[in-house]
Amino acid sequence: WADEPAARAELRRKAPEVMANCFQLIENEFLTGPWVLGDAYSVADSYLFTLTQWLPAHRLDATTYPRVQDHQNRMLARPAVRAALAAEEAV
């Protein structure tokens, strides 16, 4: 996203704050049901799961966002998600 060392440093500094703000918005406004779109599972759930997996890289803890954490746990309970994660580890 940046070539200059100073710009990279700024990205590393700023990314956790931006991610935290985005996840707080997701927590407060978007996760009103068990899934991103309410009662219906959709591709948006897979995308949120992927983004949630990135939280530790930004020094953020998913447990800070209880609805997001519950969503992540529901995703991890899905056999297809477990199979995809196992396949990814095998590579």
Side-chain angles (χ1 to χ4, degrees), residues 75-84:
M75 290 295 292
L76 287 168
R78 296 177 67 87
V81 172
R82 289 195 310 272

Side-chain angles (χ1 to χ4, degrees), residues 23-68:
F23 269 86
Q24 197 60 61
L25 179 65
I26 292 166
E27 178 75 17
N28 294 343
E29 303 293 331
F30 297 142
L31 275 176
T32 59
W35 304 111
V36 173
L37 298 179
D39 292 329
Y41 177 85
S42 73
V43 69
D45 295 291
S46 297
Y47 190 63
L48 177 57
F49 179 76
T50 299
L51 294 176
T52 303
Q53 297 294 95
W54 297 347
L55 288 174
H58 294 287
R59 301 178 305 278
L60 297 170
D61 182 1
T63 62
T64 304
Y65 314 101
R67 289 180 179 166
V68 171

